[in-house]
Amino acid sequence: MTNTTRLTVAQALVRFLARQWTERDGVEHRLIAGCFGIFGHGNVAGVGQALAEQGAGTRDPLPYYLARNEQAMVHTAAGYARQSGRLSTLACTSSIGPGATNMVTGAALATINRLPVLLLPGDLFATRAASPVLQELEDPRSYDASVNDCLRPVSRFWDRVNRPEQLPAALMGAMRVLTDPAETGAVTLALPQDVQAEAYDWPEELFARRVWHVARPVPEPAALARAVALLRGSRRPLIVAGGGVRYGDACAELARFAGRHGVPVAETQAGKGALPYDHPCAVGAIGHTGTRAADTLAREADLVIGIGTRYSDFTTASRTLFRRARFLNVNVAAFDAAKHAAETLVADAREALTALGSAVGDAGWRADPVWTARAAELAAAWQAEIDRFYGGTELTQPVVLGVLNEVAAGGVVINAAGSMPGDLHRLWRASDPGQYHVEYGYSCMGYEIAGGLGVKLAAPEREVFVLVGDGSYLMMAQEIATAVQEGVKLVIVLVDNQGFASIGALSESVGALRLGTAYRRRGPGGRLDGERLPVDLAANAASLGADVLTATDPQTLRAALAKAVASPRTTVVYVETVPGPAPAAEAWWDVPVAEVSGLAETRAARERYEEAKRDQRPYL
Ligand SMILES: Cc1ncc(C[n+]2csc(CCOP(=O)(O)OP(=O)(O)O)c2C)c(N)n1
Ligand SMILES: [Mg+2]
């Protein structure tokens, strides 16, 4: 007879999660390092009770953290997972109804960025004894529907535990997806509020310490042979390094392969830092937010070797950038490897680079030396551009980034939306992959502070610099209070330019007249073009418990950042930027323009649009 333990579903869940580990390359990590949560009637008596009972409260096996907003706590889990190289993450427990639907945006962000997060929303009574309960959707077509069904399309695994007996299989399925490099993303276990509190006799083996091996799949020999043939035929290859290089811990192999074979390396947002910025083969950011160096090479390359990239429209300049190239894609996910009619190498980035290196190395293959030298020249010219943008005397956004880049060596910079991701992608000098954390899969306003909290929890030894625009700040600044509560120190650089600089410029370029992109009072003509709003973001940050410093020029910014770094407390450095020179796009981005309009600006924008669209290669 097997030994059993009588626990509620929620108690069993908490005990199970605390005993899950990952292992890769012989190193073990806690899979679920803690649980963020906001309680309501849908989880307080189940998961809440279980978290409270598990230990003395301070060194619980599954530490609990109180957040301010359910969307934010999923961002925190995603930031944690990314900084941990996807080997460790956090769980998030919510009540039913709005607490659960608040997590939908965070789940989409995690899934799109291929980051593991575990979501535990409460759900309606499985017995339906008291229906309709508070916050119940009540779909007249089906009593089986609940708002948690919104989490299905944004989750890579979704299950509802309607009976205690279903829990073990649901948990095993959830852990498998969280730890599978090809399938990972948001994982949702919806937990009906009555089932959470129901007791069951669990077999002891459910609670055994379990280690999930994170695989490094090796390339299939025939696929490797095809890839090698393609490489041998190439004289102008270009590597596009994506997040998979980082998550596969393949940066050293990439540097070796590129250096040995003279292959220039361009980087996506998720891949930035894969090579140190001053590596002889590094040509910087690629795509719509790319450098002139990388984008010029991309247009001329005969072979694009995508490594761990999902080829977003920013990377491909909406499929206009790679004019002549064939594609060889190395990706652990067959779905991404197959993009652009590529020759595919479905494998771990490190294993694939090692295999490719030994296969072509023995044959002495190298890129055309003229191509390698040209790449180095273009890259050097771009470094001079960066110096020019960083060297201004006024507080333009590039100057802010330049000062921060000096101070932030060894730290991590975090950003997600607005005009900063583009400037960061082109200008930021990253020396190692852990230093650059721009969430650009979902580019979600509000990710910055919440995500930064997760980064700092995952890497307490690193200084964490959160860059946040005024628009993003106003959307989601409340996790400053959570950072203060936990004594987790962030340096938050709040860049105020009175609204949406990014969308303002985009709006103008598509003939939409900057409508709704500046923070202004409604003016006498009935438009939002009146006086500046009397909103004091520095005072707002102070009210949440942060120390606040204000910078007015490059010198005071440098001093404020130095003070923030020296302080043990979360500090907001408030900066009002002035408009000034910023790097322009070298490559296009497809944002459709009105085909007919009474406005001359819009008609001119449409003409430019149709011209640019001719270069698009949309179907492969
Ligand atoms: C949640 C969310 N809503 C809307 C957008 C569209 N959007 C992208 S950038 C942006 C403005 C960001 O403003 P701010 O943070 O001040 O940055 P700035 O553009 O001024 O640099 C908007 C509205 C988004 N990315 N995320
Ligand atoms: Mg702004």
Side-chain angles (χ1 to χ4, degrees), residues 111-157:
T111 293
I112 289 168
N113 285 284
R114 319 287 203 250
L115 292 169
V117 298
L118 177 61
L119 310 185
L120 305 169
D123 212 326
L124 309 173
F125 280 71
T127 60
R128 300 179 186 153
S131 277
V133 296
L134 178 67
Q135 300 168 336
E136 180 167 341
L137 178 66
E138 282 204 281
D139 183 346
R141 293 161 302 182
S142 167
Y143 294 146
D144 188 45
S146 96
V147 295
N148 284 338
D149 291 291
C150 295
L151 285 157
R152 281 181 193 261
V154 291
S155 299
R156 299 302 304 270
F157 180 85

mmCIF file of all heavy atoms in Angstrom, residues 111-157:
data_model
loop_
_atom_site.group_PDB
_atom_site.id
_atom_site.type_symbol
_atom_site.label_atom_id
_atom_site.label_comp_id
_atom_site.label_asym_id
_atom_site.label_seq_id
_atom_site.Cartn_x
_atom_site.Cartn_y
_atom_site.Cartn_z
ATOM 1 N N THR A 111 4.442 34.574 -22.946
ATOM 2 C CA THR A 111 4.380 33.592 -24.029
ATOM 3 C C THR A 111 5.091 34.112 -25.273
ATOM 4 O O THR A 111 5.856 33.392 -25.908
ATOM 5 C CB THR A 111 2.910 33.227 -24.313
ATOM 6 O OG1 THR A 111 2.417 32.521 -23.167
ATOM 7 C CG2 THR A 111 2.773 32.350 -25.540
ATOM 8 N N ILE A 112 4.869 35.376 -25.616
ATOM 9 C CA ILE A 112 5.499 35.937 -26.815
ATOM 10 C C ILE A 112 7.016 35.997 -26.663
ATOM 11 O O ILE A 112 7.752 35.720 -27.597
ATOM 12 C CB ILE A 112 4.907 37.331 -27.104
ATOM 13 C CG1 ILE A 112 3.475 37.152 -27.602
ATOM 14 C CG2 ILE A 112 5.750 38.100 -28.120
ATOM 15 C CD1 ILE A 112 2.670 38.410 -27.652
ATOM 16 N N ASN A 113 7.475 36.305 -25.457
ATOM 17 C CA ASN A 113 8.920 36.362 -25.216
ATOM 18 C C ASN A 113 9.518 34.998 -24.884
ATOM 19 O O ASN A 113 10.689 34.913 -24.531
ATOM 20 C CB ASN A 113 9.233 37.342 -24.076
ATOM 21 C CG ASN A 113 9.107 38.786 -24.510
ATOM 22 O OD1 ASN A 113 9.971 39.316 -25.202
ATOM 23 N ND2 ASN A 113 8.013 39.435 -24.118
ATOM 24 N N ARG A 114 8.699 33.957 -24.961
ATOM 25 C CA ARG A 114 9.149 32.580 -24.677
ATOM 26 C C ARG A 114 9.732 32.464 -23.263
ATOM 27 O O ARG A 114 10.793 31.887 -23.065
ATOM 28 C CB ARG A 114 10.211 32.115 -25.685
ATOM 29 C CG ARG A 114 9.978 32.508 -27.137
ATOM 30 C CD ARG A 114 8.848 31.704 -27.783
ATOM 31 N NE ARG A 114 8.953 31.674 -29.216
ATOM 32 C CZ ARG A 114 8.126 32.293 -30.059
ATOM 33 N NH1 ARG A 114 7.127 33.038 -29.600
ATOM 34 N NH2 ARG A 114 8.293 32.166 -31.356
ATOM 35 N N LEU A 115 8.999 33.043 -22.306
ATOM 36 C CA LEU A 115 9.467 33.028 -20.918
ATOM 37 C C LEU A 115 8.504 32.232 -20.039
ATOM 38 O O LEU A 115 7.287 32.440 -20.109
ATOM 39 C CB LEU A 115 9.567 34.462 -20.379
ATOM 40 C CG LEU A 115 10.651 35.322 -21.012
ATOM 41 C CD1 LEU A 115 10.498 36.785 -20.602
ATOM 42 C CD2 LEU A 115 12.042 34.802 -20.638
ATOM 43 N N PRO A 116 9.019 31.344 -19.196
ATOM 44 C CA PRO A 116 8.144 30.548 -18.335
ATOM 45 C C PRO A 116 7.606 31.358 -17.153
ATOM 46 O O PRO A 116 8.376 31.995 -16.434
ATOM 47 C CB PRO A 116 9.081 29.436 -17.829
ATOM 48 C CG PRO A 116 10.457 30.027 -17.880
ATOM 49 C CD PRO A 116 10.453 31.021 -19.015
ATOM 50 N N VAL A 117 6.287 31.366 -16.974
ATOM 51 C CA VAL A 117 5.659 31.901 -15.759
ATOM 52 C C VAL A 117 4.505 30.967 -15.398
ATOM 53 O O VAL A 117 3.855 30.419 -16.291
ATOM 54 C CB VAL A 117 5.125 33.353 -15.924
ATOM 55 C CG1 VAL A 117 6.245 34.330 -16.249
ATOM 56 C CG2 VAL A 117 4.053 33.451 -17.001
ATOM 57 N N LEU A 118 4.258 30.790 -14.120
ATOM 58 C CA LEU A 118 3.195 29.883 -13.677
ATOM 59 C C LEU A 118 2.058 30.697 -13.068
ATOM 60 O O LEU A 118 2.250 31.386 -12.058
ATOM 61 C CB LEU A 118 3.740 28.892 -12.637
ATOM 62 C CG LEU A 118 2.699 27.940 -12.035
ATOM 63 C CD1 LEU A 118 2.050 27.066 -13.099
ATOM 64 C CD2 LEU A 118 3.331 27.080 -10.943
ATOM 65 N N LEU A 119 0.884 30.636 -13.690
ATOM 66 C CA LEU A 119 -0.264 31.425 -13.230
ATOM 67 C C LEU A 119 -1.281 30.516 -12.552
ATOM 68 O O LEU A 119 -1.644 29.463 -13.095
ATOM 69 C CB LEU A 119 -0.914 32.150 -14.412
ATOM 70 C CG LEU A 119 0.058 32.935 -15.289
ATOM 71 C CD1 LEU A 119 -0.699 33.711 -16.355
ATOM 72 C CD2 LEU A 119 0.902 33.891 -14.453
ATOM 73 N N LEU A 120 -1.750 30.955 -11.396
ATOM 74 C CA LEU A 120 -2.680 30.153 -10.601
ATOM 75 C C LEU A 120 -3.926 30.977 -10.279
ATOM 76 O O LEU A 120 -4.135 31.377 -9.128
ATOM 77 C CB LEU A 120 -1.981 29.714 -9.296
ATOM 78 C CG LEU A 120 -0.655 28.966 -9.462
ATOM 79 C CD1 LEU A 120 0.063 28.831 -8.116
ATOM 80 C CD2 LEU A 120 -0.900 27.582 -10.074
ATOM 81 N N PRO A 121 -4.760 31.269 -11.281
ATOM 82 C CA PRO A 121 -5.973 32.028 -10.985
ATOM 83 C C PRO A 121 -7.003 31.162 -10.258
ATOM 84 O O PRO A 121 -7.137 29.978 -10.563
ATOM 85 C CB PRO A 121 -6.491 32.417 -12.380
ATOM 86 C CG PRO A 121 -5.968 31.348 -13.290
ATOM 87 C CD PRO A 121 -4.643 30.920 -12.714
ATOM 88 N N GLY A 122 -7.723 31.771 -9.331
ATOM 89 C CA GLY A 122 -8.868 31.080 -8.748
ATOM 90 C C GLY A 122 -9.962 30.958 -9.797
ATOM 91 O O GLY A 122 -9.942 31.647 -10.820
ATOM 92 N N ASP A 123 -10.906 30.060 -9.567
ATOM 93 C CA ASP A 123 -11.978 29.884 -10.552
ATOM 94 C C ASP A 123 -13.291 29.619 -9.801
ATOM 95 O O ASP A 123 -13.302 29.440 -8.569
ATOM 96 C CB ASP A 123 -11.627 28.727 -11.503
ATOM 97 C CG ASP A 123 -12.195 28.949 -12.906
ATOM 98 O OD1 ASP A 123 -13.285 29.541 -13.025
ATOM 99 O OD2 ASP A 123 -11.531 28.528 -13.877
ATOM 100 N N LEU A 124 -14.387 29.588 -10.554
ATOM 101 C CA LEU A 124 -15.717 29.382 -9.969
ATOM 102 C C LEU A 124 -15.808 28.032 -9.269
ATOM 103 O O LEU A 124 -15.145 27.082 -9.674
ATOM 104 C CB LEU A 124 -16.762 29.407 -11.088
ATOM 105 C CG LEU A 124 -16.682 30.609 -12.017
ATOM 106 C CD1 LEU A 124 -17.643 30.417 -13.175
ATOM 107 C CD2 LEU A 124 -17.007 31.868 -11.239
ATOM 108 N N PHE A 125 -16.689 27.928 -8.285
ATOM 109 C CA PHE A 125 -16.953 26.644 -7.630
ATOM 110 C C PHE A 125 -17.125 25.540 -8.676
ATOM 111 O O PHE A 125 -17.949 25.686 -9.593
ATOM 112 C CB PHE A 125 -18.275 26.701 -6.859
ATOM 113 C CG PHE A 125 -18.209 27.360 -5.523
ATOM 114 C CD1 PHE A 125 -18.027 28.728 -5.418
ATOM 115 C CD2 PHE A 125 -18.379 26.614 -4.363
ATOM 116 C CE1 PHE A 125 -18.004 29.338 -4.175
ATOM 117 C CE2 PHE A 125 -18.350 27.218 -3.122
ATOM 118 C CZ PHE A 125 -18.161 28.587 -3.023
ATOM 119 N N ALA A 126 -16.405 24.445 -8.538
ATOM 120 C CA ALA A 126 -16.623 23.309 -9.438
ATOM 121 C C ALA A 126 -18.026 22.739 -9.230
ATOM 122 O O ALA A 126 -18.674 22.269 -10.169
ATOM 123 C CB ALA A 126 -15.575 22.239 -9.203
ATOM 124 N N THR A 127 -18.516 22.779 -7.974
ATOM 125 C CA THR A 127 -19.852 22.246 -7.688
ATOM 126 C C THR A 127 -20.963 23.161 -8.202
ATOM 127 O O THR A 127 -22.112 22.745 -8.289
ATOM 128 C CB THR A 127 -20.065 22.093 -6.174
ATOM 129 O OG1 THR A 127 -19.927 23.380 -5.576
ATOM 130 C CG2 THR A 127 -19.077 21.115 -5.566
ATOM 131 N N ARG A 128 -20.633 24.397 -8.470
ATOM 132 C CA ARG A 128 -21.604 25.430 -8.883
ATOM 133 C C ARG A 128 -22.704 25.616 -7.831
ATOM 134 O O ARG A 128 -23.790 26.118 -8.142
ATOM 135 C CB ARG A 128 -22.237 25.089 -10.234
ATOM 136 C CG ARG A 128 -21.204 24.978 -11.346
ATOM 137 C CD ARG A 128 -21.849 24.609 -12.663
ATOM 138 N NE ARG A 128 -20.824 24.359 -13.685
ATOM 139 C CZ ARG A 128 -21.005 23.558 -14.733
ATOM 140 N NH1 ARG A 128 -22.145 22.940 -14.913
ATOM 141 N NH2 ARG A 128 -20.044 23.390 -15.610
ATOM 142 N N ALA A 129 -22.422 25.210 -6.592
ATOM 143 C CA ALA A 129 -23.454 25.203 -5.561
ATOM 144 C C ALA A 129 -24.023 26.590 -5.301
ATOM 145 O O ALA A 129 -25.213 26.722 -4.992
ATOM 146 C CB ALA A 129 -22.878 24.608 -4.276
ATOM 147 N N ALA A 130 -23.190 27.624 -5.408
ATOM 148 C CA ALA A 130 -23.642 28.963 -5.024
ATOM 149 C C ALA A 130 -23.746 29.908 -6.213
ATOM 150 O O ALA A 130 -23.855 31.117 -6.040
ATOM 151 C CB ALA A 130 -22.685 29.532 -3.979
ATOM 152 N N SER A 131 -23.717 29.376 -7.423
ATOM 153 C CA SER A 131 -23.700 30.234 -8.625
ATOM 154 C C SER A 131 -24.949 31.117 -8.714
ATOM 155 O O SER A 131 -26.029 30.685 -8.318
ATOM 156 C CB SER A 131 -23.632 29.370 -9.886
ATOM 157 O OG SER A 131 -22.304 29.008 -10.118
ATOM 158 N N PRO A 132 -24.866 32.301 -9.272
ATOM 159 C CA PRO A 132 -23.624 32.926 -9.705
ATOM 160 C C PRO A 132 -22.897 33.570 -8.531
ATOM 161 O O PRO A 132 -23.491 34.337 -7.787
ATOM 162 C CB PRO A 132 -24.105 34.001 -10.690
ATOM 163 C CG PRO A 132 -25.468 34.383 -10.182
ATOM 164 C CD PRO A 132 -26.046 33.152 -9.543
ATOM 165 N N VAL A 133 -21.591 33.257 -8.426
ATOM 166 C CA VAL A 133 -20.809 33.865 -7.346
ATOM 167 C C VAL A 133 -20.349 35.259 -7.769
ATOM 168 O O VAL A 133 -20.397 35.605 -8.957
ATOM 169 C CB VAL A 133 -19.583 33.003 -6.959
ATOM 170 C CG1 VAL A 133 -20.026 31.673 -6.395
ATOM 171 C CG2 VAL A 133 -18.639 32.816 -8.133
ATOM 172 N N LEU A 134 -19.893 36.017 -6.795
ATOM 173 C CA LEU A 134 -19.350 37.354 -7.055
ATOM 174 C C LEU A 134 -18.305 37.270 -8.169
ATOM 175 O O LEU A 134 -17.427 36.412 -8.110
ATOM 176 C CB LEU A 134 -18.704 37.886 -5.762
ATOM 177 C CG LEU A 134 -18.027 39.254 -5.843
ATOM 178 C CD1 LEU A 134 -19.044 40.361 -6.089
ATOM 179 C CD2 LEU A 134 -17.235 39.539 -4.572
ATOM 180 N N GLN A 135 -18.424 38.097 -9.174
ATOM 181 C CA GLN A 135 -17.482 38.203 -10.289
ATOM 182 C C GLN A 135 -17.638 37.095 -11.332
ATOM 183 O O GLN A 135 -16.790 36.942 -12.206
ATOM 184 C CB GLN A 135 -16.016 38.263 -9.794
ATOM 185 C CG GLN A 135 -15.760 39.458 -8.883
ATOM 186 C CD GLN A 135 -14.434 39.405 -8.158
ATOM 187 O OE1 GLN A 135 -13.859 38.343 -7.952
ATOM 188 N NE2 GLN A 135 -13.945 40.557 -7.756
ATOM 189 N N GLU A 136 -18.724 36.305 -11.241
ATOM 190 C CA GLU A 136 -18.922 35.246 -12.235
ATOM 191 C C GLU A 136 -19.398 35.842 -13.559
ATOM 192 O O GLU A 136 -20.275 36.704 -13.579
ATOM 193 C CB GLU A 136 -19.933 34.216 -11.716
ATOM 194 C CG GLU A 136 -20.178 33.084 -12.693
ATOM 195 C CD GLU A 136 -20.925 31.894 -12.084
ATOM 196 O OE1 GLU A 136 -20.956 31.771 -10.844
ATOM 197 O OE2 GLU A 136 -21.477 31.099 -12.856
ATOM 198 N N LEU A 137 -18.863 35.349 -14.666
ATOM 199 C CA LEU A 137 -19.208 35.861 -15.986
ATOM 200 C C LEU A 137 -20.643 35.521 -16.375
ATOM 201 O O LEU A 137 -21.353 36.342 -16.944
ATOM 202 C CB LEU A 137 -18.224 35.282 -17.020
ATOM 203 C CG LEU A 137 -18.438 35.656 -18.482
ATOM 204 C CD1 LEU A 137 -18.213 37.137 -18.710
ATOM 205 C CD2 LEU A 137 -17.497 34.845 -19.379
ATOM 206 N N GLU A 138 -21.078 34.305 -16.071
ATOM 207 C CA GLU A 138 -22.406 33.802 -16.462
ATOM 208 C C GLU A 138 -22.630 33.845 -17.958
ATOM 209 O O GLU A 138 -23.293 34.738 -18.486
ATOM 210 C CB GLU A 138 -23.525 34.597 -15.780
ATOM 211 C CG GLU A 138 -23.743 34.220 -14.346
ATOM 212 C CD GLU A 138 -25.158 34.581 -13.925
ATOM 213 O OE1 GLU A 138 -25.406 35.759 -13.656
ATOM 214 O OE2 GLU A 138 -25.999 33.673 -13.874
ATOM 215 N N ASP A 139 -22.086 32.900 -18.655
ATOM 216 C CA ASP A 139 -22.325 32.775 -20.084
ATOM 217 C C ASP A 139 -23.603 31.959 -20.277
ATOM 218 O O ASP A 139 -23.645 30.786 -19.903
ATOM 219 C CB ASP A 139 -21.117 32.068 -20.724
ATOM 220 C CG ASP A 139 -21.244 31.948 -22.230
ATOM 221 O OD1 ASP A 139 -22.361 32.158 -22.746
ATOM 222 O OD2 ASP A 139 -20.233 31.640 -22.872
ATOM 223 N N PRO A 140 -24.661 32.557 -20.864
ATOM 224 C CA PRO A 140 -25.924 31.816 -20.994
ATOM 225 C C PRO A 140 -25.801 30.579 -21.885
ATOM 226 O O PRO A 140 -26.634 29.683 -21.815
ATOM 227 C CB PRO A 140 -26.879 32.823 -21.641
ATOM 228 C CG PRO A 140 -26.191 34.132 -21.616
ATOM 229 C CD PRO A 140 -24.738 33.899 -21.424
ATOM 230 N N ARG A 141 -24.744 30.509 -22.704
ATOM 231 C CA ARG A 141 -24.606 29.358 -23.607
ATOM 232 C C ARG A 141 -23.945 28.174 -22.928
ATOM 233 O O ARG A 141 -23.996 27.054 -23.415
ATOM 234 C CB ARG A 141 -23.754 29.734 -24.831
ATOM 235 C CG ARG A 141 -24.416 30.734 -25.737
ATOM 236 C CD ARG A 141 -23.385 31.394 -26.630
ATOM 237 N NE ARG A 141 -22.347 32.058 -25.820
ATOM 238 C CZ ARG A 141 -21.342 32.746 -26.321
ATOM 239 N NH1 ARG A 141 -21.198 32.843 -27.612
ATOM 240 N NH2 ARG A 141 -20.459 33.326 -25.532
ATOM 241 N N SER A 142 -23.213 28.433 -21.815
ATOM 242 C CA SER A 142 -22.470 27.334 -21.197
ATOM 243 C C SER A 142 -22.096 27.678 -19.767
ATOM 244 O O SER A 142 -21.428 28.673 -19.522
ATOM 245 C CB SER A 142 -21.187 27.060 -21.991
ATOM 246 O OG SER A 142 -20.342 26.225 -21.233
ATOM 247 N N TYR A 143 -22.489 26.818 -18.828
ATOM 248 C CA TYR A 143 -22.097 27.034 -17.436
ATOM 249 C C TYR A 143 -20.620 26.718 -17.211
ATOM 250 O O TYR A 143 -20.072 26.964 -16.156
ATOM 251 C CB TYR A 143 -22.957 26.167 -16.510
ATOM 252 C CG TYR A 143 -24.419 26.556 -16.492
ATOM 253 C CD1 TYR A 143 -25.413 25.589 -16.340
ATOM 254 C CD2 TYR A 143 -24.799 27.885 -16.614
ATOM 255 C CE1 TYR A 143 -26.751 25.942 -16.327
ATOM 256 C CE2 TYR A 143 -26.137 28.247 -16.609
ATOM 257 C CZ TYR A 143 -27.111 27.275 -16.468
ATOM 258 O OH TYR A 143 -28.425 27.630 -16.464
ATOM 259 N N ASP A 144 -20.013 26.135 -18.227
ATOM 260 C CA ASP A 144 -18.609 25.723 -18.085
ATOM 261 C C ASP A 144 -17.636 26.881 -18.327
ATOM 262 O O ASP A 144 -16.461 26.779 -18.038
ATOM 263 C CB ASP A 144 -18.330 24.592 -19.087
ATOM 264 C CG ASP A 144 -16.960 23.977 -18.875
ATOM 265 O OD1 ASP A 144 -16.619 23.715 -17.711
ATOM 266 O OD2 ASP A 144 -16.231 23.778 -19.862
ATOM 267 N N ALA A 145 -18.109 27.999 -18.894
ATOM 268 C CA ALA A 145 -17.194 29.099 -19.238
ATOM 269 C C ALA A 145 -16.910 29.968 -18.018
ATOM 270 O O ALA A 145 -17.787 30.210 -17.195
ATOM 271 C CB ALA A 145 -17.810 29.954 -20.341
ATOM 272 N N SER A 146 -15.674 30.422 -17.910
ATOM 273 C CA SER A 146 -15.350 31.427 -16.884
ATOM 274 C C SER A 146 -14.360 32.411 -17.496
ATOM 275 O O SER A 146 -13.820 32.157 -18.577
ATOM 276 C CB SER A 146 -14.756 30.764 -15.635
ATOM 277 O OG SER A 146 -13.348 30.792 -15.654
ATOM 278 N N VAL A 147 -14.120 33.529 -16.834
ATOM 279 C CA VAL A 147 -13.192 34.517 -17.407
ATOM 280 C C VAL A 147 -11.799 33.933 -17.587
ATOM 281 O O VAL A 147 -11.005 34.434 -18.382
ATOM 282 C CB VAL A 147 -13.118 35.826 -16.583
ATOM 283 C CG1 VAL A 147 -14.459 36.553 -16.601
ATOM 284 C CG2 VAL A 147 -12.624 35.574 -15.170
ATOM 285 N N ASN A 148 -11.482 32.870 -16.849
ATOM 286 C CA ASN A 148 -10.150 32.263 -17.008
ATOM 287 C C ASN A 148 -9.933 31.699 -18.405
ATOM 288 O O ASN A 148 -8.785 31.462 -18.803
ATOM 289 C CB ASN A 148 -9.936 31.154 -15.978
ATOM 290 C CG ASN A 148 -9.651 31.726 -14.603
ATOM 291 O OD1 ASN A 148 -9.229 32.873 -14.487
ATOM 292 N ND2 ASN A 148 -9.889 30.948 -13.576
ATOM 293 N N ASP A 149 -11.014 31.482 -19.147
ATOM 294 C CA ASP A 149 -10.846 31.012 -20.524
ATOM 295 C C ASP A 149 -10.107 32.053 -21.371
ATOM 296 O O ASP A 149 -9.538 31.717 -22.403
ATOM 297 C CB ASP A 149 -12.203 30.639 -21.130
ATOM 298 C CG ASP A 149 -12.772 29.394 -20.459
ATOM 299 O OD1 ASP A 149 -12.207 28.311 -20.669
ATOM 300 O OD2 ASP A 149 -13.735 29.515 -19.677
ATOM 301 N N CYS A 150 -10.113 33.325 -20.927
ATOM 302 C CA CYS A 150 -9.320 34.365 -21.613
ATOM 303 C C CYS A 150 -7.832 34.033 -21.585
ATOM 304 O O CYS A 150 -7.065 34.543 -22.407
ATOM 305 C CB CYS A 150 -9.487 35.724 -20.944
ATOM 306 S SG CYS A 150 -11.123 36.389 -21.043
ATOM 307 N N LEU A 151 -7.437 33.222 -20.618
ATOM 308 C CA LEU A 151 -6.010 32.901 -20.507
ATOM 309 C C LEU A 151 -5.591 31.763 -21.443
ATOM 310 O O LEU A 151 -4.396 31.508 -21.609
ATOM 311 C CB LEU A 151 -5.652 32.547 -19.051
ATOM 312 C CG LEU A 151 -5.576 33.767 -18.114
ATOM 313 C CD1 LEU A 151 -5.775 33.359 -16.664
ATOM 314 C CD2 LEU A 151 -4.231 34.479 -18.263
ATOM 315 N N ARG A 152 -6.572 31.078 -22.056
ATOM 316 C CA ARG A 152 -6.216 29.938 -22.920
ATOM 317 C C ARG A 152 -5.312 30.327 -24.088
ATOM 318 O O ARG A 152 -4.241 29.747 -24.259
ATOM 319 C CB ARG A 152 -7.469 29.264 -23.478
ATOM 320 C CG ARG A 152 -8.173 28.348 -22.506
ATOM 321 C CD ARG A 152 -9.386 27.732 -23.224
ATOM 322 N NE ARG A 152 -10.297 27.078 -22.325
ATOM 323 C CZ ARG A 152 -10.333 25.747 -22.113
ATOM 324 N NH1 ARG A 152 -9.489 24.959 -22.738
ATOM 325 N NH2 ARG A 152 -11.208 25.233 -21.281
ATOM 326 N N PRO A 153 -5.714 31.304 -24.935
ATOM 327 C CA PRO A 153 -4.871 31.565 -26.117
ATOM 328 C C PRO A 153 -3.508 32.158 -25.779
ATOM 329 O O PRO A 153 -2.614 32.113 -26.617
ATOM 330 C CB PRO A 153 -5.707 32.558 -26.945
ATOM 331 C CG PRO A 153 -6.693 33.132 -26.001
ATOM 332 C CD PRO A 153 -6.941 32.110 -24.947
ATOM 333 N N VAL A 154 -3.354 32.716 -24.595
ATOM 334 C CA VAL A 154 -2.059 33.327 -24.247
ATOM 335 C C VAL A 154 -1.208 32.398 -23.384
ATOM 336 O O VAL A 154 -0.143 32.794 -22.914
ATOM 337 C CB VAL A 154 -2.247 34.697 -23.558
ATOM 338 C CG1 VAL A 154 -2.776 35.727 -24.537
ATOM 339 C CG2 VAL A 154 -3.169 34.592 -22.343
ATOM 340 N N SER A 155 -1.677 31.181 -23.167
ATOM 341 C CA SER A 155 -0.916 30.209 -22.373
ATOM 342 C C SER A 155 -0.435 29.071 -23.261
ATOM 343 O O SER A 155 -1.141 28.659 -24.179
ATOM 344 C CB SER A 155 -1.795 29.614 -21.256
ATOM 345 O OG SER A 155 -2.234 30.620 -20.382
ATOM 346 N N ARG A 156 0.743 28.533 -22.961
ATOM 347 C CA ARG A 156 1.245 27.373 -23.715
ATOM 348 C C ARG A 156 0.736 26.071 -23.116
ATOM 349 O O ARG A 156 0.868 25.009 -23.711
ATOM 350 C CB ARG A 156 2.784 27.370 -23.743
ATOM 351 C CG ARG A 156 3.390 28.579 -24.415
ATOM 352 C CD ARG A 156 2.926 28.773 -25.861
ATOM 353 N NE ARG A 156 3.170 27.640 -26.711
ATOM 354 C CZ ARG A 156 4.273 27.439 -27.415
ATOM 355 N NH1 ARG A 156 5.237 28.325 -27.382
ATOM 356 N NH2 ARG A 156 4.418 26.375 -28.175
ATOM 357 N N PHE A 157 0.211 26.169 -21.895
ATOM 358 C CA PHE A 157 -0.453 25.031 -21.264
ATOM 359 C C PHE A 157 -1.514 25.629 -20.364
ATOM 360 O O PHE A 157 -1.242 26.601 -19.654
ATOM 361 C CB PHE A 157 0.549 24.195 -20.448
ATOM 362 C CG PHE A 157 -0.057 22.997 -19.769
ATOM 363 C CD1 PHE A 157 -0.209 21.795 -20.450
ATOM 364 C CD2 PHE A 157 -0.479 23.067 -18.441
ATOM 365 C CE1 PHE A 157 -0.781 20.693 -19.817
ATOM 366 C CE2 PHE A 157 -1.052 21.967 -17.804
ATOM 367 C CZ PHE A 157 -1.201 20.774 -18.500
#
